[in-house]
Amino acid sequence: MAPKITAILVGIFISLFSITPISEARNMNDQGLNAKQQGIVTIAAFTAQGDLGRLKTTLNDGLDNGLTVNEIKEVLVQMYAYCGFPRSLNGISTFMSVLEERKAKGIQDEIGKEASPLPANKSNIELGTEIQTGLAGGTPARGPIYTFAPAIDEFLKGHLFGDIFGRDILDFQSREIATIAALASMAGVNSQLQAHFNIGFNTGLTEAQMKSLLSVLAAGVGKQEADNASEVLSKVISNRAK
């Protein structure tokens, strides 16, 4: 299939599954991430690092900047796929404490929408394969690692991309912002970080938004994490320009 046609199909696919249309997102966010997206960055980063003290602060900031309770819960739940159940569960527990404290102060936070039912006419693997392929730019995921351990391919398609990414509480851009922030905050995962920078661009995130994400990391998480992610991003941008 010609690259131009593939790009068009991917754009259509992403717009169908995303809450915010790509064209609208580009027009609104060419200058960088908005306050809600910045909140997702730090929430994901501190959850991945297990820094519950700073997570508590940024959870409050996220709510104050317009993230709903369900949107934050969705970020925390998604994190288990990237940093494990223990840190995801610790993040959720911390969020419960934050909400209790805010309620005691008389703060009524917006709960937000619930996830729509997943399509009844396809399995989670079928749905996940569609989503993964679309996010990857129209090319199905293949490689020796999936041949060597086919179970991981099944789990990635069926659970990560089907069960988790198929939930519409967060759009794909928000999920990639969370994923990139988490991976950038952990050591030894640059190959995955590179892949998700590419996927982020495929969802319509701009170079300005990616650099804004790195600025949030540098200011709120750590210079070392931001510098490493910046090197990875530079390679991705260079490769995509070829």
Side-chain angles (χ1 to χ4, degrees):
M1 184 179 293
K4 184 175 181 181
I5 296 175
T6 299
I8 292 172
L9 291 176
V10 170
I12 293 172
F13 173 83
I14 297 297
S15 67
L16 288 174
F17 278 89
S18 299
I19 295 173
T20 303
I22 288 176
S23 59
E24 179 182 344
R26 282 176 172 157
N27 290 336
M28 293 174 61
N29 298 313
D30 277 345
Q31 300 306 308
L33 300 182
N34 60 38
K36 291 177 64 173
Q37 291 169 325
Q38 290 178 33
I40 289 174
V41 172
T42 48
I43 288 169
F46 294 138
T47 301
Q49 291 185 338
D51 190 335
L52 302 183
R54 290 203 287 178
L55 175 61
K56 183 175 181 179
T57 298
T58 200
L59 287 168
N60 275 290
D61 291 343
L63 290 167
D64 291 339
N65 286 323
L67 284 169
T68 69
V69 171
N70 283 344
E71 286 171 337
I72 291 177
K73 283 197 293 186
E74 197 72 12
V75 172
L76 297 172
V77 168
Q78 180 180 319
M79 287 300 96
Y80 96 80
Y82 296 97
C83 58
F85 273 114
R87 291 195 169 175
S88 175
L89 291 170
N90 286 344
I92 292 169
S93 179
T94 301
F95 190 36
M96 291 170 65
S97 297
V98 166
L99 292 175
E100 289 173 2
E101 292 175 3
R102 290 171 70 90
K103 184 177 180 180
K105 295 176 182 178
I107 301 173
Q108 298 295 321
D109 292 302
E110 182 183 353
I111 300 301
K113 66 173 289 184
E114 300 286 343
S116 302
L118 295 177
N121 61 342
K122 60 186 65 176
S123 68
N124 62 346
I125 292 181
E126 290 172 328
L127 174 62
T129 300
E130 290 179 7
I131 293 174
Q132 183 190 45
T133 301
L135 292 176
T139 303
R142 296 190 181 93
I145 192 170
Y146 302 124
T147 302
F148 178 74
I152 199 67
D153 186 36
E154 180 178 333
F155 295 157
L156 282 169
K157 286 181 169 65
H159 188 49
L160 176 58
F161 289 103
D163 293 333
I164 299 178
F165 271 62
R167 290 165 57 86
D168 60 1
I169 292 177
L170 295 175
D171 60 26
F172 288 157
Q173 290 187 1
S174 297
R175 290 195 181 278
E176 283 307 313
I177 288 169
T179 301
I180 290 167
L183 293 172
S185 302
M186 297 187 289
V189 292
N190 277 1
S191 61
Q192 289 81 11
L193 178 59
Q194 179 174 326
H196 280 279
F197 270 130
N198 272 303
I199 292 174
F201 280 124
N202 290 344
T203 69
L205 289 171
T206 66
E207 186 174 331
Q209 287 174 294
M210 294 296 194
K211 291 181 177 179
S212 175
L213 190 160
L214 298 185
S215 295
V216 174
L217 284 176
V221 180
K223 185 177 184 298
Q224 180 177 344
E225 292 85 349
D227 286 348
N228 175 69
S230 179
E231 290 182 11
V232 176
L233 177 60
S234 294
K235 293 178 183 177
V236 170
I237 292 172
S238 176
N239 289 336
R240 290 177 71 90
K242 293 178 181 178

Short mmCIF file of all heavy atoms in Angstrom, two decimals, residues 95-154:
data_model
loop_
_atom_site.label_atom_id
_atom_site.label_comp_id
_atom_site.label_asym_id
_atom_site.label_seq_id
_atom_site.Cartn_x
_atom_site.Cartn_y
_atom_site.Cartn_z
N PHE A 95 -4.01 7.87 45.42
CA PHE A 95 -5.10 8.68 44.86
C PHE A 95 -6.33 8.61 45.75
O PHE A 95 -7.03 9.61 45.95
CB PHE A 95 -5.42 8.22 43.45
CG PHE A 95 -6.35 9.13 42.69
CD1 PHE A 95 -6.30 10.51 42.85
CD2 PHE A 95 -7.28 8.61 41.80
CE1 PHE A 95 -7.16 11.35 42.14
CE2 PHE A 95 -8.14 9.43 41.10
CZ PHE A 95 -8.08 10.80 41.27
N MET A 96 -6.63 7.44 46.29
CA MET A 96 -7.76 7.30 47.20
C MET A 96 -7.59 8.22 48.41
O MET A 96 -8.53 8.89 48.84
CB MET A 96 -7.89 5.85 47.66
CG MET A 96 -8.33 4.89 46.56
SD MET A 96 -8.19 3.14 47.05
CE MET A 96 -9.41 3.10 48.39
N SER A 97 -6.37 8.28 48.94
CA SER A 97 -6.10 9.15 50.09
C SER A 97 -6.27 10.62 49.72
O SER A 97 -6.82 11.41 50.50
CB SER A 97 -4.68 8.91 50.61
OG SER A 97 -4.52 7.59 51.08
N VAL A 98 -5.79 10.98 48.53
CA VAL A 98 -5.94 12.36 48.06
C VAL A 98 -7.41 12.75 47.97
O VAL A 98 -7.82 13.83 48.42
CB VAL A 98 -5.25 12.54 46.69
CG1 VAL A 98 -5.67 13.86 46.03
CG2 VAL A 98 -3.73 12.49 46.86
N LEU A 99 -8.22 11.87 47.40
CA LEU A 99 -9.65 12.17 47.25
C LEU A 99 -10.34 12.28 48.61
O LEU A 99 -11.21 13.15 48.80
CB LEU A 99 -10.32 11.08 46.41
CG LEU A 99 -9.91 11.05 44.93
CD1 LEU A 99 -10.55 9.85 44.23
CD2 LEU A 99 -10.32 12.34 44.22
N GLU A 100 -9.95 11.45 49.56
CA GLU A 100 -10.53 11.53 50.90
C GLU A 100 -10.18 12.85 51.56
O GLU A 100 -11.02 13.48 52.21
CB GLU A 100 -10.04 10.35 51.74
CG GLU A 100 -10.61 9.01 51.33
CD GLU A 100 -9.98 7.85 52.08
OE1 GLU A 100 -9.11 8.10 52.94
OE2 GLU A 100 -10.35 6.69 51.80
N GLU A 101 -8.93 13.28 51.40
CA GLU A 101 -8.49 14.55 51.99
C GLU A 101 -9.22 15.73 51.35
O GLU A 101 -9.63 16.67 52.05
CB GLU A 101 -6.98 14.71 51.84
CG GLU A 101 -6.18 13.74 52.67
CD GLU A 101 -4.68 13.84 52.41
OE1 GLU A 101 -4.28 14.72 51.60
OE2 GLU A 101 -3.92 13.05 53.00
N ARG A 102 -9.40 15.68 50.06
CA ARG A 102 -10.07 16.78 49.37
C ARG A 102 -11.56 16.82 49.73
O ARG A 102 -12.13 17.90 49.90
CB ARG A 102 -9.89 16.62 47.84
CG ARG A 102 -8.46 16.88 47.39
CD ARG A 102 -8.24 16.50 45.93
NE ARG A 102 -8.92 17.39 45.01
CZ ARG A 102 -8.40 18.49 44.49
NH1 ARG A 102 -7.17 18.87 44.82
NH2 ARG A 102 -9.08 19.23 43.63
N LYS A 103 -12.15 15.65 49.87
CA LYS A 103 -13.55 15.59 50.27
C LYS A 103 -13.74 16.17 51.66
O LYS A 103 -14.72 16.88 51.93
CB LYS A 103 -14.05 14.15 50.22
CG LYS A 103 -15.54 14.00 50.52
CD LYS A 103 -15.98 12.56 50.39
CE LYS A 103 -17.47 12.43 50.69
NZ LYS A 103 -17.92 11.00 50.56
N ALA A 104 -12.80 15.88 52.56
CA ALA A 104 -12.87 16.41 53.92
C ALA A 104 -12.77 17.93 53.94
O ALA A 104 -13.28 18.59 54.86
CB ALA A 104 -11.78 15.80 54.78
N LYS A 105 -12.12 18.49 52.93
CA LYS A 105 -11.98 19.94 52.81
C LYS A 105 -13.17 20.57 52.07
O LYS A 105 -13.19 21.77 51.83
CB LYS A 105 -10.69 20.29 52.07
CG LYS A 105 -9.43 19.90 52.80
CD LYS A 105 -8.20 20.19 51.95
CE LYS A 105 -6.92 19.75 52.64
NZ LYS A 105 -5.72 19.99 51.79
N GLY A 106 -14.12 19.73 51.66
CA GLY A 106 -15.29 20.24 50.95
C GLY A 106 -15.09 20.39 49.46
O GLY A 106 -15.92 21.01 48.79
N ILE A 107 -14.03 19.80 48.91
CA ILE A 107 -13.77 19.88 47.48
C ILE A 107 -14.52 18.77 46.77
O ILE A 107 -14.37 17.59 47.09
CB ILE A 107 -12.26 19.77 47.17
CG1 ILE A 107 -11.49 20.89 47.88
CG2 ILE A 107 -12.01 19.82 45.66
CD1 ILE A 107 -9.97 20.75 47.77
N GLN A 108 -15.34 19.12 45.81
CA GLN A 108 -16.10 18.15 45.03
C GLN A 108 -15.47 18.02 43.64
O GLN A 108 -15.63 18.89 42.79
CB GLN A 108 -17.57 18.59 44.90
CG GLN A 108 -18.30 18.70 46.23
CD GLN A 108 -18.45 17.36 46.92
OE1 GLN A 108 -18.70 16.34 46.26
NE2 GLN A 108 -18.29 17.35 48.23
N ASP A 109 -14.73 16.96 43.44
CA ASP A 109 -14.05 16.76 42.16
C ASP A 109 -14.98 16.08 41.16
O ASP A 109 -15.81 15.24 41.53
CB ASP A 109 -12.80 15.90 42.36
CG ASP A 109 -11.73 16.62 43.16
OD1 ASP A 109 -11.31 17.71 42.73
OD2 ASP A 109 -11.33 16.11 44.22
N GLU A 110 -14.81 16.46 39.90
CA GLU A 110 -15.62 15.87 38.84
C GLU A 110 -15.23 14.41 38.62
O GLU A 110 -14.06 14.10 38.43
CB GLU A 110 -15.44 16.64 37.53
CG GLU A 110 -16.29 16.12 36.38
CD GLU A 110 -16.05 16.85 35.08
OE1 GLU A 110 -15.33 17.87 35.08
OE2 GLU A 110 -16.59 16.39 34.04
N ILE A 111 -16.21 13.52 38.66
CA ILE A 111 -15.95 12.10 38.48
C ILE A 111 -15.58 11.79 37.03
O ILE A 111 -14.65 11.04 36.75
CB ILE A 111 -17.15 11.24 38.92
CG1 ILE A 111 -17.45 11.50 40.39
CG2 ILE A 111 -16.86 9.76 38.68
CD1 ILE A 111 -16.31 11.18 41.33
N GLY A 112 -16.31 12.34 36.08
CA GLY A 112 -16.03 12.11 34.67
C GLY A 112 -16.74 10.90 34.11
O GLY A 112 -17.44 10.18 34.81
N LYS A 113 -16.57 10.70 32.84
CA LYS A 113 -17.28 9.64 32.12
C LYS A 113 -16.76 8.27 32.49
O LYS A 113 -15.61 8.10 32.90
CB LYS A 113 -17.17 9.85 30.61
CG LYS A 113 -15.76 9.71 30.05
CD LYS A 113 -15.73 9.75 28.53
CE LYS A 113 -16.32 8.48 27.94
NZ LYS A 113 -16.22 8.43 26.47
N GLU A 114 -17.62 7.28 32.32
CA GLU A 114 -17.22 5.88 32.46
C GLU A 114 -16.84 5.34 31.09
O GLU A 114 -17.19 5.91 30.05
CB GLU A 114 -18.38 5.06 33.04
CG GLU A 114 -18.85 5.51 34.41
CD GLU A 114 -17.89 5.14 35.52
OE1 GLU A 114 -17.04 4.25 35.29
OE2 GLU A 114 -17.99 5.74 36.61
N ALA A 115 -16.11 4.24 31.07
CA ALA A 115 -15.71 3.64 29.80
C ALA A 115 -16.92 3.04 29.09
O ALA A 115 -17.78 2.43 29.72
CB ALA A 115 -14.67 2.55 30.04
N SER A 116 -16.99 3.25 27.78
CA SER A 116 -18.03 2.62 26.98
C SER A 116 -17.74 1.12 26.86
O SER A 116 -16.59 0.70 26.95
CB SER A 116 -18.07 3.24 25.57
OG SER A 116 -18.27 4.63 25.64
N PRO A 117 -18.78 0.30 26.63
CA PRO A 117 -18.54 -1.13 26.44
C PRO A 117 -17.64 -1.37 25.22
O PRO A 117 -17.73 -0.65 24.22
CB PRO A 117 -19.94 -1.70 26.20
CG PRO A 117 -20.87 -0.69 26.80
CD PRO A 117 -20.22 0.64 26.59
N LEU A 118 -16.76 -2.35 25.32
CA LEU A 118 -15.95 -2.71 24.17
C LEU A 118 -16.84 -3.34 23.10
O LEU A 118 -17.92 -3.86 23.41
CB LEU A 118 -14.86 -3.70 24.59
CG LEU A 118 -13.81 -3.15 25.57
CD1 LEU A 118 -12.83 -4.26 25.95
CD2 LEU A 118 -13.06 -1.96 25.00
N PRO A 119 -16.43 -3.29 21.83
CA PRO A 119 -17.27 -3.83 20.76
C PRO A 119 -17.66 -5.29 21.03
O PRO A 119 -16.81 -6.11 21.39
CB PRO A 119 -16.38 -3.72 19.52
CG PRO A 119 -15.42 -2.62 19.84
CD PRO A 119 -15.18 -2.71 21.32
N ALA A 120 -18.93 -5.59 20.84
CA ALA A 120 -19.42 -6.94 21.12
C ALA A 120 -19.17 -7.90 19.96
O ALA A 120 -19.28 -9.12 20.12
CB ALA A 120 -20.91 -6.90 21.43
N ASN A 121 -18.83 -7.35 18.79
CA ASN A 121 -18.71 -8.19 17.59
C ASN A 121 -17.28 -8.63 17.30
O ASN A 121 -16.98 -9.14 16.23
CB ASN A 121 -19.26 -7.45 16.37
CG ASN A 121 -18.50 -6.16 16.09
OD1 ASN A 121 -17.78 -5.66 16.96
ND2 ASN A 121 -18.65 -5.65 14.88
N LYS A 122 -16.35 -8.38 18.26
CA LYS A 122 -14.97 -8.82 18.04
C LYS A 122 -14.32 -9.12 19.38
O LYS A 122 -14.69 -8.57 20.42
CB LYS A 122 -14.17 -7.78 17.27
CG LYS A 122 -14.04 -6.42 17.94
CD LYS A 122 -13.35 -5.41 17.03
CE LYS A 122 -14.17 -5.12 15.80
NZ LYS A 122 -13.58 -4.06 14.96
N SER A 123 -13.35 -10.00 19.36
CA SER A 123 -12.63 -10.36 20.58
C SER A 123 -11.65 -9.25 20.95
O SER A 123 -11.35 -8.36 20.15
CB SER A 123 -11.86 -11.67 20.37
OG SER A 123 -10.79 -11.47 19.44
N ASN A 124 -11.13 -9.34 22.18
CA ASN A 124 -10.15 -8.33 22.58
C ASN A 124 -8.89 -8.42 21.74
O ASN A 124 -8.23 -7.41 21.48
CB ASN A 124 -9.83 -8.44 24.07
CG ASN A 124 -9.20 -9.77 24.46
OD1 ASN A 124 -9.22 -10.74 23.70
ND2 ASN A 124 -8.65 -9.82 25.67
N ILE A 125 -8.55 -9.62 21.27
CA ILE A 125 -7.36 -9.76 20.40
C ILE A 125 -7.62 -9.12 19.04
O ILE A 125 -6.74 -8.44 18.49
CB ILE A 125 -6.97 -11.24 20.25
CG1 ILE A 125 -6.45 -11.78 21.59
CG2 ILE A 125 -5.91 -11.40 19.16
CD1 ILE A 125 -6.02 -13.22 21.55
N GLU A 126 -8.81 -9.29 18.51
CA GLU A 126 -9.14 -8.66 17.22
C GLU A 126 -9.12 -7.14 17.36
O GLU A 126 -8.56 -6.43 16.51
CB GLU A 126 -10.51 -9.13 16.75
CG GLU A 126 -10.54 -10.59 16.31
CD GLU A 126 -11.93 -11.10 16.03
OE1 GLU A 126 -12.89 -10.63 16.69
OE2 GLU A 126 -12.09 -11.96 15.14
N LEU A 127 -9.73 -6.64 18.42
CA LEU A 127 -9.75 -5.20 18.65
C LEU A 127 -8.34 -4.68 18.88
O LEU A 127 -7.92 -3.67 18.30
CB LEU A 127 -10.63 -4.87 19.86
CG LEU A 127 -10.64 -3.40 20.31
CD1 LEU A 127 -11.20 -2.50 19.21
CD2 LEU A 127 -11.43 -3.24 21.60
N GLY A 128 -7.58 -5.40 19.72
CA GLY A 128 -6.22 -4.96 20.03
C GLY A 128 -5.31 -4.98 18.82
O GLY A 128 -4.45 -4.10 18.67
N THR A 129 -5.49 -5.96 17.94
CA THR A 129 -4.69 -6.02 16.72
C THR A 129 -4.97 -4.80 15.84
O THR A 129 -4.05 -4.20 15.28
CB THR A 129 -4.99 -7.31 15.95
OG1 THR A 129 -4.66 -8.44 16.77
CG2 THR A 129 -4.17 -7.38 14.66
N GLU A 130 -6.25 -4.43 15.74
CA GLU A 130 -6.60 -3.24 14.96
C GLU A 130 -5.97 -1.98 15.55
O GLU A 130 -5.40 -1.15 14.83
CB GLU A 130 -8.12 -3.09 14.92
CG GLU A 130 -8.84 -4.13 14.08
CD GLU A 130 -10.34 -3.92 14.10
OE1 GLU A 130 -10.80 -2.90 14.64
OE2 GLU A 130 -11.07 -4.79 13.58
N ILE A 131 -6.09 -1.84 16.86
CA ILE A 131 -5.57 -0.64 17.51
C ILE A 131 -4.05 -0.60 17.41
O ILE A 131 -3.46 0.44 17.04
CB ILE A 131 -6.02 -0.59 18.99
CG1 ILE A 131 -7.53 -0.38 19.07
CG2 ILE A 131 -5.29 0.52 19.74
CD1 ILE A 131 -8.09 -0.46 20.48
N GLN A 132 -3.39 -1.70 17.73
CA GLN A 132 -1.93 -1.75 17.67
C GLN A 132 -1.43 -1.45 16.26
O GLN A 132 -0.48 -0.67 16.08
CB GLN A 132 -1.43 -3.11 18.13
CG GLN A 132 0.09 -3.23 18.17
CD GLN A 132 0.54 -4.65 18.39
OE1 GLN A 132 0.02 -5.59 17.77
NE2 GLN A 132 1.50 -4.85 19.27
N THR A 133 -2.06 -2.05 15.27
CA THR A 133 -1.64 -1.84 13.88
C THR A 133 -1.84 -0.39 13.46
O THR A 133 -0.97 0.21 12.81
CB THR A 133 -2.43 -2.77 12.93
OG1 THR A 133 -2.20 -4.13 13.31
CG2 THR A 133 -2.01 -2.57 11.48
N GLY A 134 -2.97 0.19 13.85
CA GLY A 134 -3.22 1.59 13.52
C GLY A 134 -2.22 2.52 14.17
O GLY A 134 -1.69 3.44 13.54
N LEU A 135 -1.93 2.29 15.45
CA LEU A 135 -0.99 3.15 16.16
C LEU A 135 0.43 3.01 15.64
O LEU A 135 1.22 3.96 15.68
CB LEU A 135 -1.03 2.83 17.66
CG LEU A 135 -2.32 3.21 18.40
CD1 LEU A 135 -2.26 2.74 19.85
CD2 LEU A 135 -2.57 4.71 18.34
N ALA A 136 0.74 1.83 15.15
CA ALA A 136 2.09 1.59 14.63
C ALA A 136 2.28 2.13 13.22
O ALA A 136 3.36 2.01 12.64
CB ALA A 136 2.41 0.10 14.66
N GLY A 137 1.24 2.71 12.64
CA GLY A 137 1.36 3.29 11.31
C GLY A 137 0.86 2.40 10.20
O GLY A 137 1.19 2.60 9.04
N GLY A 138 0.08 1.39 10.56
CA GLY A 138 -0.52 0.52 9.56
C GLY A 138 0.22 -0.78 9.32
O GLY A 138 -0.19 -1.58 8.49
N THR A 139 1.30 -1.00 10.06
CA THR A 139 2.08 -2.22 9.90
C THR A 139 1.88 -3.12 11.11
O THR A 139 2.15 -2.71 12.23
CB THR A 139 3.58 -1.89 9.76
OG1 THR A 139 3.77 -1.00 8.67
CG2 THR A 139 4.38 -3.17 9.55
N PRO A 140 1.43 -4.35 10.90
CA PRO A 140 1.25 -5.27 12.04
C PRO A 140 2.58 -5.52 12.75
O PRO A 140 3.64 -5.56 12.12
CB PRO A 140 0.73 -6.56 11.37
CG PRO A 140 0.16 -6.11 10.07
CD PRO A 140 1.00 -4.96 9.63
N ALA A 141 2.50 -5.66 14.07
CA ALA A 141 3.71 -5.91 14.86
C ALA A 141 4.24 -7.31 14.57
O ALA A 141 3.52 -8.30 14.70
CB ALA A 141 3.39 -5.76 16.34
N ARG A 142 5.49 -7.38 14.14
CA ARG A 142 6.15 -8.65 13.87
C ARG A 142 7.58 -8.58 14.38
O ARG A 142 8.13 -7.50 14.58
CB ARG A 142 6.17 -8.95 12.37
CG ARG A 142 4.81 -9.14 11.72
CD ARG A 142 4.97 -9.68 10.29
NE ARG A 142 3.68 -9.87 9.63
CZ ARG A 142 3.10 -8.95 8.86
NH1 ARG A 142 3.72 -7.78 8.67
NH2 ARG A 142 1.93 -9.18 8.29
N GLY A 143 8.18 -9.74 14.58
CA GLY A 143 9.57 -9.77 15.01
C GLY A 143 9.90 -11.06 15.69
O GLY A 143 9.02 -11.82 16.10
N PRO A 144 11.20 -11.35 15.82
CA PRO A 144 11.64 -12.61 16.42
C PRO A 144 11.17 -12.79 17.86
O PRO A 144 10.95 -13.92 18.30
CB PRO A 144 13.16 -12.55 16.31
CG PRO A 144 13.49 -11.10 16.11
CD PRO A 144 12.33 -10.53 15.37
N ILE A 145 11.02 -11.69 18.58
CA ILE A 145 10.60 -11.81 19.98
C ILE A 145 9.19 -12.41 20.07
O ILE A 145 8.88 -13.17 20.98
CB ILE A 145 10.67 -10.45 20.71
CG1 ILE A 145 10.51 -10.65 22.22
CG2 ILE A 145 9.62 -9.47 20.18
CD1 ILE A 145 10.81 -9.39 23.02
N TYR A 146 8.33 -12.07 19.10
CA TYR A 146 6.96 -12.58 19.12
C TYR A 146 6.92 -14.04 18.66
O TYR A 146 6.05 -14.80 19.08
CB TYR A 146 6.07 -11.73 18.24
CG TYR A 146 6.04 -10.28 18.67
CD1 TYR A 146 6.37 -9.25 17.77
CD2 TYR A 146 5.70 -9.92 19.96
CE1 TYR A 146 6.37 -7.93 18.16
CE2 TYR A 146 5.70 -8.59 20.36
CZ TYR A 146 6.04 -7.61 19.47
OH TYR A 146 6.04 -6.30 19.87
N THR A 147 7.87 -14.42 17.80
CA THR A 147 7.96 -15.81 17.39
C THR A 147 8.51 -16.67 18.53
O THR A 147 8.04 -17.79 18.77
CB THR A 147 8.89 -15.95 16.16
OG1 THR A 147 8.38 -15.12 15.10
CG2 THR A 147 8.97 -17.39 15.68
N PHE A 148 9.48 -16.12 19.23
CA PHE A 148 10.10 -16.83 20.35
C PHE A 148 9.13 -17.00 21.51
O PHE A 148 9.07 -18.05 22.16
CB PHE A 148 11.35 -16.08 20.80
CG PHE A 148 12.04 -16.70 21.99
CD1 PHE A 148 12.77 -17.87 21.84
CD2 PHE A 148 11.97 -16.11 23.24
CE1 PHE A 148 13.41 -18.44 22.93
CE2 PHE A 148 12.60 -16.68 24.33
CZ PHE A 148 13.33 -17.85 24.18
N ALA A 149 8.36 -15.95 21.80
CA ALA A 149 7.41 -15.98 22.92
C ALA A 149 6.05 -15.49 22.44
O ALA A 149 5.66 -14.34 22.68
CB ALA A 149 7.91 -15.12 24.07
N PRO A 150 5.30 -16.31 21.72
CA PRO A 150 4.02 -15.88 21.16
C PRO A 150 3.01 -15.45 22.20
O PRO A 150 2.11 -14.67 21.90
CB PRO A 150 3.54 -17.11 20.38
CG PRO A 150 4.32 -18.26 20.93
CD PRO A 150 5.63 -17.71 21.35
N ALA A 151 3.17 -15.91 23.43
CA ALA A 151 2.22 -15.51 24.49
C ALA A 151 2.28 -14.00 24.72
O ALA A 151 1.25 -13.36 24.95
CB ALA A 151 2.52 -16.25 25.79
N ILE A 152 3.49 -13.40 24.63
CA ILE A 152 3.60 -11.97 24.88
C ILE A 152 2.92 -11.19 23.77
O ILE A 152 2.34 -10.12 24.01
CB ILE A 152 5.08 -11.53 25.04
CG1 ILE A 152 5.17 -10.18 25.75
CG2 ILE A 152 5.79 -11.48 23.70
CD1 ILE A 152 4.72 -10.20 27.18
N ASP A 153 2.97 -11.72 22.56
CA ASP A 153 2.26 -11.07 21.45
C ASP A 153 0.75 -11.11 21.70
O ASP A 153 0.05 -10.12 21.47
CB ASP A 153 2.61 -11.80 20.14
CG ASP A 153 2.03 -11.12 18.92
OD1 ASP A 153 1.97 -9.87 18.89
OD2 ASP A 153 1.63 -11.83 17.98
N GLU A 154 0.26 -12.23 22.18
CA GLU A 154 -1.16 -12.37 22.47
C GLU A 154 -1.58 -11.43 23.59
O GLU A 154 -2.63 -10.77 23.52
CB GLU A 154 -1.47 -13.82 22.86
CG GLU A 154 -2.93 -14.06 23.18
CD GLU A 154 -3.20 -15.51 23.52
OE1 GLU A 154 -2.46 -16.38 23.04
OE2 GLU A 154 -4.17 -15.78 24.27
#
